């Protein structure tokens, strides 16, 4: 009896510790530096709270020889307060929040790749804000999301609608499921999956 209770308590502690770590620790990835004298035709825009989407975005930028633009949103910091705010805003389907990034002129690009974690079945709020703040002027826009479990077409579909409202041509969305706890993919496995998905769609990028 006590062994069973002890096992359950231990299991709960491990789960809480795992959850806390995934929300507070930044997953590192190699720096990305574009090496080309030609101006890039593709822009990869990324918001990442804990580093997983950043790694996938860099893989994408490398494959597409793209410029990489990072969005910061310190209000969603890697602590409990930031986590709770992220959760609240995502659940309320907020579409604007303060964001920081280097100045960017979208006119130079043919293809804009937006990369985001999934928050409550939809892209994270900073990505919505980026779209709200820009005119896509007929550019093709592709969405890449990473998540533990799933997105919904209903909530993510609204993101596509916003892109179109901001004059972008929303091509498609790709969701990379990382899984949870013991079933979670490593960043290398996620990157491999991203690369495969990009190669499968290679006609789109030309
Ligand atoms: C507030 C919040 C809500 C989340 N909701 C979902 C969800 O609805 N579906 C999902 O698959 N993952 C969800 N996740 C997990 C993240 O999308 C996933 O861990 C993502 O890969 C993290 O990316 P990042 O490390 O770039 O921030 C959520 C995470 C947070 C912080």
């Amino acid at each position: 009896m006590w062994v069973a209770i002890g096992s359950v308590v231990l299991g709960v502690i491990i789960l809480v510790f795992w959850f806390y770590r995934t929300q507070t620790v930044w997953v590192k990835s190699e720096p990305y530096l574009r090496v080309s004298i030609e101006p890039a035709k593709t822009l990869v825009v990324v918001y990442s709270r804990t580093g997983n989407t950043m790694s996938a975005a860099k893989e994408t930028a490398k494959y597409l020889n793209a410029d990489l633009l990072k969005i910061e949103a310190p209000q969603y910091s890697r602590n409990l307060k930031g986590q709770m705010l992220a959760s609240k805003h995502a659940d309320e389907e907020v579409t604007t929040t303060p964001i920081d990034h280097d100045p960017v002129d979208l006119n130079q690009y043919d293809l804009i790749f937006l990369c985001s974690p999934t928050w409550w079945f939809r892209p994270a709020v900073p990505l919505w804000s980026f779209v709200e703040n820009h005119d896509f002027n007929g550019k093709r826009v592709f969405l890449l999301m990473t998540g533990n479990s799933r997105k919904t077409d209903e909530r993510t579909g609204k993101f596509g609608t916003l892109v179109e409202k901001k004059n972008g041509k929303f091509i498609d969305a790709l969701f990379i499921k990382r899984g949870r706890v013991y079933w979670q993919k490593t960043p290398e496995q996620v990157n491999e999956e991203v690369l495969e998905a990009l190669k499968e769609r290679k006609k789109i990028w030309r």
Side-chain angles (χ1 to χ4, degrees), residues 11-39:
V12 170
I13 291 171
I14 290 171
L15 270 181
V16 169
F17 180 70
W18 168 83
F19 182 73
Y20 182 75
R21 270 192 66 81
T22 60
Q23 296 309 313
T24 55
V25 175
W26 177 261
V27 175
K28 286 189 191 146
S29 49
E30 293 290 314
Y32 172 71
L33 192 65
R34 184 172 178 268
V35 277
S36 175
I37 44 167
E38 295 292 312

PDB file of all heavy atoms in Angstrom, residues 11-39:
ATOM      1  N   GLY A  11       5.997   9.767  -8.934  1.00  0.00           N
ATOM      2  CA  GLY A  11       5.605  10.019 -10.332  1.00  0.00           C
ATOM      3  C   GLY A  11       5.149  11.455 -10.525  1.00  0.00           C
ATOM      4  O   GLY A  11       5.544  12.127 -11.481  1.00  0.00           O
ATOM      5  N   VAL A  12       4.330  11.948  -9.562  1.00  0.00           N
ATOM      6  CA  VAL A  12       3.817  13.328  -9.663  1.00  0.00           C
ATOM      7  C   VAL A  12       4.978  14.320  -9.561  1.00  0.00           C
ATOM      8  O   VAL A  12       5.071  15.285 -10.340  1.00  0.00           O
ATOM      9  CB  VAL A  12       2.750  13.604  -8.569  1.00  0.00           C
ATOM     10  CG1 VAL A  12       2.395  15.085  -8.513  1.00  0.00           C
ATOM     11  CG2 VAL A  12       1.496  12.768  -8.839  1.00  0.00           C
ATOM     12  N   ILE A  13       5.915  14.068  -8.613  1.00  0.00           N
ATOM     13  CA  ILE A  13       7.069  14.979  -8.456  1.00  0.00           C
ATOM     14  C   ILE A  13       7.888  15.029  -9.749  1.00  0.00           C
ATOM     15  O   ILE A  13       8.257  16.107 -10.223  1.00  0.00           O
ATOM     16  CB  ILE A  13       7.959  14.536  -7.253  1.00  0.00           C
ATOM     17  CG1 ILE A  13       7.210  14.784  -5.949  1.00  0.00           C
ATOM     18  CG2 ILE A  13       9.293  15.293  -7.248  1.00  0.00           C
ATOM     19  CD1 ILE A  13       7.866  14.207  -4.720  1.00  0.00           C
ATOM     20  N   ILE A  14       8.121  13.860 -10.335  1.00  0.00           N
ATOM     21  CA  ILE A  14       8.911  13.822 -11.587  1.00  0.00           C
ATOM     22  C   ILE A  14       8.199  14.617 -12.683  1.00  0.00           C
ATOM     23  O   ILE A  14       8.805  15.420 -13.395  1.00  0.00           O
ATOM     24  CB  ILE A  14       9.164  12.363 -12.037  1.00  0.00           C
ATOM     25  CG1 ILE A  14      10.143  11.695 -11.069  1.00  0.00           C
ATOM     26  CG2 ILE A  14       9.720  12.304 -13.462  1.00  0.00           C
ATOM     27  CD1 ILE A  14      10.316  10.208 -11.265  1.00  0.00           C
ATOM     28  N   LEU A  15       6.874  14.435 -12.777  1.00  0.00           N
ATOM     29  CA  LEU A  15       6.112  15.144 -13.815  1.00  0.00           C
ATOM     30  C   LEU A  15       6.167  16.662 -13.618  1.00  0.00           C
ATOM     31  O   LEU A  15       6.370  17.421 -14.568  1.00  0.00           O
ATOM     32  CB  LEU A  15       4.652  14.686 -13.799  1.00  0.00           C
ATOM     33  CG  LEU A  15       4.315  13.501 -14.680  1.00  0.00           C
ATOM     34  CD1 LEU A  15       2.834  13.170 -14.582  1.00  0.00           C
ATOM     35  CD2 LEU A  15       4.670  13.771 -16.149  1.00  0.00           C
ATOM     36  N   VAL A  16       5.986  17.099 -12.347  1.00  0.00           N
ATOM     37  CA  VAL A  16       6.011  18.539 -12.055  1.00  0.00           C
ATOM     38  C   VAL A  16       7.398  19.098 -12.381  1.00  0.00           C
ATOM     39  O   VAL A  16       7.530  20.154 -13.012  1.00  0.00           O
ATOM     40  CB  VAL A  16       5.638  18.809 -10.571  1.00  0.00           C
ATOM     41  CG1 VAL A  16       5.918  20.263 -10.193  1.00  0.00           C
ATOM     42  CG2 VAL A  16       4.166  18.467 -10.331  1.00  0.00           C
ATOM     43  N   PHE A  17       8.444  18.364 -11.982  1.00  0.00           N
ATOM     44  CA  PHE A  17       9.819  18.807 -12.244  1.00  0.00           C
ATOM     45  C   PHE A  17      10.069  18.896 -13.743  1.00  0.00           C
ATOM     46  O   PHE A  17      10.619  19.876 -14.249  1.00  0.00           O
ATOM     47  CB  PHE A  17      10.816  17.842 -11.583  1.00  0.00           C
ATOM     48  CG  PHE A  17      12.243  18.238 -11.810  1.00  0.00           C
ATOM     49  CD1 PHE A  17      12.777  19.372 -11.198  1.00  0.00           C
ATOM     50  CD2 PHE A  17      13.065  17.490 -12.650  1.00  0.00           C
ATOM     51  CE1 PHE A  17      14.098  19.755 -11.420  1.00  0.00           C
ATOM     52  CE2 PHE A  17      14.378  17.869 -12.878  1.00  0.00           C
ATOM     53  CZ  PHE A  17      14.897  19.000 -12.264  1.00  0.00           C
ATOM     54  N   TRP A  18       9.608  17.864 -14.477  1.00  0.00           N
ATOM     55  CA  TRP A  18       9.777  17.866 -15.942  1.00  0.00           C
ATOM     56  C   TRP A  18       9.075  19.065 -16.557  1.00  0.00           C
ATOM     57  O   TRP A  18       9.635  19.792 -17.384  1.00  0.00           O
ATOM     58  CB  TRP A  18       9.219  16.560 -16.527  1.00  0.00           C
ATOM     59  CG  TRP A  18       9.096  16.639 -18.030  1.00  0.00           C
ATOM     60  CD1 TRP A  18      10.068  16.429 -18.945  1.00  0.00           C
ATOM     61  CD2 TRP A  18       7.922  17.025 -18.772  1.00  0.00           C
ATOM     62  NE1 TRP A  18       9.588  16.644 -20.214  1.00  0.00           N
ATOM     63  CE2 TRP A  18       8.280  17.003 -20.137  1.00  0.00           C
ATOM     64  CE3 TRP A  18       6.618  17.361 -18.412  1.00  0.00           C
ATOM     65  CZ2 TRP A  18       7.372  17.313 -21.138  1.00  0.00           C
ATOM     66  CZ3 TRP A  18       5.717  17.675 -19.411  1.00  0.00           C
ATOM     67  CH2 TRP A  18       6.097  17.644 -20.759  1.00  0.00           C
ATOM     68  N   PHE A  19       7.826  19.295 -16.108  1.00  0.00           N
ATOM     69  CA  PHE A  19       7.046  20.399 -16.668  1.00  0.00           C
ATOM     70  C   PHE A  19       7.744  21.734 -16.379  1.00  0.00           C
ATOM     71  O   PHE A  19       7.888  22.582 -17.256  1.00  0.00           O
ATOM     72  CB  PHE A  19       5.631  20.397 -16.081  1.00  0.00           C
ATOM     73  CG  PHE A  19       4.771  21.481 -16.645  1.00  0.00           C
ATOM     74  CD1 PHE A  19       4.291  21.382 -17.945  1.00  0.00           C
ATOM     75  CD2 PHE A  19       4.461  22.607 -15.911  1.00  0.00           C
ATOM     76  CE1 PHE A  19       3.516  22.395 -18.491  1.00  0.00           C
ATOM     77  CE2 PHE A  19       3.684  23.629 -16.450  1.00  0.00           C
ATOM     78  CZ  PHE A  19       3.207  23.517 -17.736  1.00  0.00           C
ATOM     79  N   TYR A  20       8.219  21.890 -15.125  1.00  0.00           N
ATOM     80  CA  TYR A  20       8.891  23.123 -14.735  1.00  0.00           C
ATOM     81  C   TYR A  20      10.129  23.357 -15.614  1.00  0.00           C
ATOM     82  O   TYR A  20      10.343  24.447 -16.119  1.00  0.00           O
ATOM     83  CB  TYR A  20       9.286  23.049 -13.253  1.00  0.00           C
ATOM     84  CG  TYR A  20       9.943  24.316 -12.765  1.00  0.00           C
ATOM     85  CD1 TYR A  20       9.193  25.459 -12.511  1.00  0.00           C
ATOM     86  CD2 TYR A  20      11.322  24.375 -12.583  1.00  0.00           C
ATOM     87  CE1 TYR A  20       9.790  26.636 -12.098  1.00  0.00           C
ATOM     88  CE2 TYR A  20      11.936  25.552 -12.169  1.00  0.00           C
ATOM     89  CZ  TYR A  20      11.157  26.676 -11.922  1.00  0.00           C
ATOM     90  OH  TYR A  20      11.770  27.835 -11.519  1.00  0.00           O
ATOM     91  N   ARG A  21      10.907  22.318 -15.825  1.00  0.00           N
ATOM     92  CA  ARG A  21      12.120  22.451 -16.651  1.00  0.00           C
ATOM     93  C   ARG A  21      11.782  22.849 -18.091  1.00  0.00           C
ATOM     94  O   ARG A  21      12.417  23.711 -18.671  1.00  0.00           O
ATOM     95  CB  ARG A  21      12.908  21.130 -16.661  1.00  0.00           C
ATOM     96  CG  ARG A  21      13.926  21.045 -15.543  1.00  0.00           C
ATOM     97  CD  ARG A  21      14.863  19.870 -15.768  1.00  0.00           C
ATOM     98  NE  ARG A  21      15.702  20.040 -16.960  1.00  0.00           N
ATOM     99  CZ  ARG A  21      16.804  20.750 -17.010  1.00  0.00           C
ATOM    100  NH1 ARG A  21      17.221  21.396 -15.949  1.00  0.00           N
ATOM    101  NH2 ARG A  21      17.507  20.836 -18.124  1.00  0.00           N
ATOM    102  N   THR A  22      10.742  22.200 -18.663  1.00  0.00           N
ATOM    103  CA  THR A  22      10.421  22.506 -20.068  1.00  0.00           C
ATOM    104  C   THR A  22       9.969  23.962 -20.240  1.00  0.00           C
ATOM    105  O   THR A  22      10.077  24.520 -21.317  1.00  0.00           O
ATOM    106  CB  THR A  22       9.302  21.600 -20.639  1.00  0.00           C
ATOM    107  OG1 THR A  22       8.125  21.799 -19.864  1.00  0.00           O
ATOM    108  CG2 THR A  22       9.695  20.141 -20.661  1.00  0.00           C
ATOM    109  N   GLN A  23       9.433  24.554 -19.154  1.00  0.00           N
ATOM    110  CA  GLN A  23       8.922  25.923 -19.258  1.00  0.00           C
ATOM    111  C   GLN A  23       9.955  26.977 -18.882  1.00  0.00           C
ATOM    112  O   GLN A  23       9.719  28.165 -19.067  1.00  0.00           O
ATOM    113  CB  GLN A  23       7.671  26.080 -18.374  1.00  0.00           C
ATOM    114  CG  GLN A  23       6.513  25.219 -18.815  1.00  0.00           C
ATOM    115  CD  GLN A  23       6.196  25.387 -20.292  1.00  0.00           C
ATOM    116  OE1 GLN A  23       6.115  26.504 -20.809  1.00  0.00           O
ATOM    117  NE2 GLN A  23       6.043  24.277 -20.997  1.00  0.00           N
ATOM    118  N   THR A  24      11.079  26.565 -18.278  1.00  0.00           N
ATOM    119  CA  THR A  24      12.023  27.558 -17.757  1.00  0.00           C
ATOM    120  C   THR A  24      13.420  27.466 -18.379  1.00  0.00           C
ATOM    121  O   THR A  24      14.232  28.349 -18.167  1.00  0.00           O
ATOM    122  CB  THR A  24      12.165  27.405 -16.221  1.00  0.00           C
ATOM    123  OG1 THR A  24      12.527  26.052 -15.947  1.00  0.00           O
ATOM    124  CG2 THR A  24      10.882  27.757 -15.499  1.00  0.00           C
ATOM    125  N   VAL A  25      13.688  26.390 -19.087  1.00  0.00           N
ATOM    126  CA  VAL A  25      15.047  26.196 -19.618  1.00  0.00           C
ATOM    127  C   VAL A  25      15.051  26.426 -21.132  1.00  0.00           C
ATOM    128  O   VAL A  25      14.190  25.893 -21.844  1.00  0.00           O
ATOM    129  CB  VAL A  25      15.549  24.764 -19.294  1.00  0.00           C
ATOM    130  CG1 VAL A  25      16.906  24.504 -19.930  1.00  0.00           C
ATOM    131  CG2 VAL A  25      15.643  24.585 -17.780  1.00  0.00           C
ATOM    132  N   TRP A  26      16.003  27.233 -21.591  1.00  0.00           N
ATOM    133  CA  TRP A  26      16.143  27.514 -23.025  1.00  0.00           C
ATOM    134  C   TRP A  26      16.893  26.362 -23.701  1.00  0.00           C
ATOM    135  O   TRP A  26      17.986  25.987 -23.275  1.00  0.00           O
ATOM    136  CB  TRP A  26      16.911  28.827 -23.222  1.00  0.00           C
ATOM    137  CG  TRP A  26      17.178  29.166 -24.654  1.00  0.00           C
ATOM    138  CD1 TRP A  26      18.338  28.952 -25.339  1.00  0.00           C
ATOM    139  CD2 TRP A  26      16.276  29.779 -25.582  1.00  0.00           C
ATOM    140  NE1 TRP A  26      18.210  29.394 -26.642  1.00  0.00           N
ATOM    141  CE2 TRP A  26      16.957  29.903 -26.815  1.00  0.00           C
ATOM    142  CE3 TRP A  26      14.949  30.240 -25.492  1.00  0.00           C
ATOM    143  CZ2 TRP A  26      16.362  30.469 -27.937  1.00  0.00           C
ATOM    144  CZ3 TRP A  26      14.369  30.792 -26.622  1.00  0.00           C
ATOM    145  CH2 TRP A  26      15.063  30.914 -27.824  1.00  0.00           C
ATOM    146  N   VAL A  27      16.307  25.801 -24.747  1.00  0.00           N
ATOM    147  CA  VAL A  27      16.957  24.724 -25.504  1.00  0.00           C
ATOM    148  C   VAL A  27      17.898  25.368 -26.527  1.00  0.00           C
ATOM    149  O   VAL A  27      17.444  26.090 -27.418  1.00  0.00           O
ATOM    150  CB  VAL A  27      15.882  23.864 -26.222  1.00  0.00           C
ATOM    151  CG1 VAL A  27      16.527  22.818 -27.113  1.00  0.00           C
ATOM    152  CG2 VAL A  27      14.952  23.219 -25.202  1.00  0.00           C
ATOM    153  N   LYS A  28      19.204  25.127 -26.351  1.00  0.00           N
ATOM    154  CA  LYS A  28      20.191  25.803 -27.206  1.00  0.00           C
ATOM    155  C   LYS A  28      20.259  25.192 -28.608  1.00  0.00           C
ATOM    156  O   LYS A  28      19.993  24.004 -28.772  1.00  0.00           O
ATOM    157  CB  LYS A  28      21.582  25.674 -26.574  1.00  0.00           C
ATOM    158  CG  LYS A  28      21.774  26.551 -25.378  1.00  0.00           C
ATOM    159  CD  LYS A  28      23.226  26.509 -24.961  1.00  0.00           C
ATOM    160  CE  LYS A  28      23.371  27.163 -23.610  1.00  0.00           C
ATOM    161  NZ  LYS A  28      24.380  26.557 -22.795  1.00  0.00           N
ATOM    162  N   SER A  29      20.627  26.011 -29.577  1.00  0.00           N
ATOM    163  CA  SER A  29      20.884  25.489 -30.932  1.00  0.00           C
ATOM    164  C   SER A  29      22.060  26.264 -31.509  1.00  0.00           C
ATOM    165  O   SER A  29      22.401  27.342 -31.018  1.00  0.00           O
ATOM    166  CB  SER A  29      19.631  25.631 -31.809  1.00  0.00           C
ATOM    167  OG  SER A  29      19.098  26.931 -31.725  1.00  0.00           O
ATOM    168  N   GLU A  30      22.668  25.709 -32.548  1.00  0.00           N
ATOM    169  CA  GLU A  30      23.824  26.354 -33.197  1.00  0.00           C
ATOM    170  C   GLU A  30      23.427  27.736 -33.717  1.00  0.00           C
ATOM    171  O   GLU A  30      22.310  27.905 -34.211  1.00  0.00           O
ATOM    172  CB  GLU A  30      24.270  25.526 -34.415  1.00  0.00           C
ATOM    173  CG  GLU A  30      24.840  24.169 -34.091  1.00  0.00           C
ATOM    174  CD  GLU A  30      26.199  24.274 -33.427  1.00  0.00           C
ATOM    175  OE1 GLU A  30      27.033  25.056 -33.931  1.00  0.00           O
ATOM    176  OE2 GLU A  30      26.394  23.601 -32.401  1.00  0.00           O
ATOM    177  N   PRO A  31      24.361  28.722 -33.653  1.00  0.00           N
ATOM    178  CA  PRO A  31      24.034  30.038 -34.234  1.00  0.00           C
ATOM    179  C   PRO A  31      23.769  29.917 -35.733  1.00  0.00           C
ATOM    180  O   PRO A  31      24.327  29.022 -36.376  1.00  0.00           O
ATOM    181  CB  PRO A  31      25.283  30.882 -33.977  1.00  0.00           C
ATOM    182  CG  PRO A  31      26.206  30.066 -33.162  1.00  0.00           C
ATOM    183  CD  PRO A  31      25.721  28.651 -33.125  1.00  0.00           C
ATOM    184  N   TYR A  32      22.923  30.791 -36.260  1.00  0.00           N
ATOM    185  CA  TYR A  32      22.668  30.776 -37.710  1.00  0.00           C
ATOM    186  C   TYR A  32      23.269  32.030 -38.325  1.00  0.00           C
ATOM    187  O   TYR A  32      22.992  33.143 -37.890  1.00  0.00           O
ATOM    188  CB  TYR A  32      21.168  30.742 -38.011  1.00  0.00           C
ATOM    189  CG  TYR A  32      20.874  30.911 -39.487  1.00  0.00           C
ATOM    190  CD1 TYR A  32      21.169  29.901 -40.387  1.00  0.00           C
ATOM    191  CD2 TYR A  32      20.332  32.099 -39.991  1.00  0.00           C
ATOM    192  CE1 TYR A  32      20.941  30.059 -41.752  1.00  0.00           C
ATOM    193  CE2 TYR A  32      20.084  32.261 -41.350  1.00  0.00           C
ATOM    194  CZ  TYR A  32      20.396  31.235 -42.219  1.00  0.00           C
ATOM    195  OH  TYR A  32      20.160  31.388 -43.566  1.00  0.00           O
ATOM    196  N   LEU A  33      24.119  31.844 -39.323  1.00  0.00           N
ATOM    197  CA  LEU A  33      24.695  32.971 -40.039  1.00  0.00           C
ATOM    198  C   LEU A  33      24.559  32.698 -41.528  1.00  0.00           C
ATOM    199  O   LEU A  33      25.076  31.692 -42.025  1.00  0.00           O
ATOM    200  CB  LEU A  33      26.177  33.114 -39.651  1.00  0.00           C
ATOM    201  CG  LEU A  33      26.827  34.404 -40.087  1.00  0.00           C
ATOM    202  CD1 LEU A  33      26.201  35.607 -39.373  1.00  0.00           C
ATOM    203  CD2 LEU A  33      28.325  34.349 -39.779  1.00  0.00           C
ATOM    204  N   ARG A  34      23.865  33.581 -42.235  1.00  0.00           N
ATOM    205  CA  ARG A  34      23.681  33.375 -43.675  1.00  0.00           C
ATOM    206  C   ARG A  34      24.964  33.765 -44.403  1.00  0.00           C
ATOM    207  O   ARG A  34      25.494  34.854 -44.170  1.00  0.00           O
ATOM    208  CB  ARG A  34      22.504  34.228 -44.166  1.00  0.00           C
ATOM    209  CG  ARG A  34      22.176  34.004 -45.600  1.00  0.00           C
ATOM    210  CD  ARG A  34      20.890  34.708 -45.997  1.00  0.00           C
ATOM    211  NE  ARG A  34      20.665  34.483 -47.408  1.00  0.00           N
ATOM    212  CZ  ARG A  34      21.080  35.293 -48.366  1.00  0.00           C
ATOM    213  NH1 ARG A  34      21.716  36.405 -48.070  1.00  0.00           N
ATOM    214  NH2 ARG A  34      20.850  34.996 -49.624  1.00  0.00           N
ATOM    215  N   VAL A  35      25.466  32.860 -45.269  1.00  0.00           N
ATOM    216  CA  VAL A  35      26.710  33.169 -45.978  1.00  0.00           C
ATOM    217  C   VAL A  35      26.442  33.278 -47.474  1.00  0.00           C
ATOM    218  O   VAL A  35      26.514  32.307 -48.199  1.00  0.00           O
ATOM    219  CB  VAL A  35      27.811  32.098 -45.710  1.00  0.00           C
ATOM    220  CG1 VAL A  35      28.539  32.359 -44.426  1.00  0.00           C
ATOM    221  CG2 VAL A  35      27.231  30.707 -45.754  1.00  0.00           C
ATOM    222  N   SER A  36      26.086  34.475 -47.903  1.00  0.00           N
ATOM    223  CA  SER A  36      25.812  34.692 -49.325  1.00  0.00           C
ATOM    224  C   SER A  36      25.895  36.185 -49.594  1.00  0.00           C
ATOM    225  O   SER A  36      25.541  36.992 -48.725  1.00  0.00           O
ATOM    226  CB  SER A  36      24.410  34.171 -49.666  1.00  0.00           C
ATOM    227  OG  SER A  36      24.113  34.476 -50.994  1.00  0.00           O
ATOM    228  N   ILE A  37      26.357  36.547 -50.788  1.00  0.00           N
ATOM    229  CA  ILE A  37      26.411  37.982 -51.100  1.00  0.00           C
ATOM    230  C   ILE A  37      25.107  38.446 -51.757  1.00  0.00           C
ATOM    231  O   ILE A  37      24.810  39.622 -51.800  1.00  0.00           O
ATOM    232  CB  ILE A  37      27.633  38.343 -51.979  1.00  0.00           C
ATOM    233  CG1 ILE A  37      27.796  37.324 -53.101  1.00  0.00           C
ATOM    234  CG2 ILE A  37      28.896  38.485 -51.157  1.00  0.00           C
ATOM    235  CD1 ILE A  37      28.751  37.773 -54.171  1.00  0.00           C
ATOM    236  N   GLU A  38      24.337  37.451 -52.265  1.00  0.00           N
ATOM    237  CA  GLU A  38      23.039  37.780 -52.880  1.00  0.00           C
ATOM    238  C   GLU A  38      22.038  38.139 -51.779  1.00  0.00           C
ATOM    239  O   GLU A  38      22.005  37.458 -50.746  1.00  0.00           O
ATOM    240  CB  GLU A  38      22.470  36.546 -53.603  1.00  0.00           C
ATOM    241  CG  GLU A  38      23.289  36.066 -54.782  1.00  0.00           C
ATOM    242  CD  GLU A  38      23.241  37.057 -55.928  1.00  0.00           C
ATOM    243  OE1 GLU A  38      22.135  37.501 -56.269  1.00  0.00           O
ATOM    244  OE2 GLU A  38      24.309  37.399 -56.450  1.00  0.00           O
ATOM    245  N   PRO A  39      21.191  39.152 -51.998  1.00  0.00           N
ATOM    246  CA  PRO A  39      20.154  39.422 -50.998  1.00  0.00           C
ATOM    247  C   PRO A  39      19.191  38.231 -50.902  1.00  0.00           C
ATOM    248  O   PRO A  39      18.872  37.613 -51.913  1.00  0.00           O
ATOM    249  CB  PRO A  39      19.428  40.657 -51.531  1.00  0.00           C
ATOM    250  CG  PRO A  39      20.206  41.148 -52.692  1.00  0.00           C
ATOM    251  CD  PRO A  39      21.139  40.065 -53.141  1.00  0.00           C
TER     252      PRO A  39
END
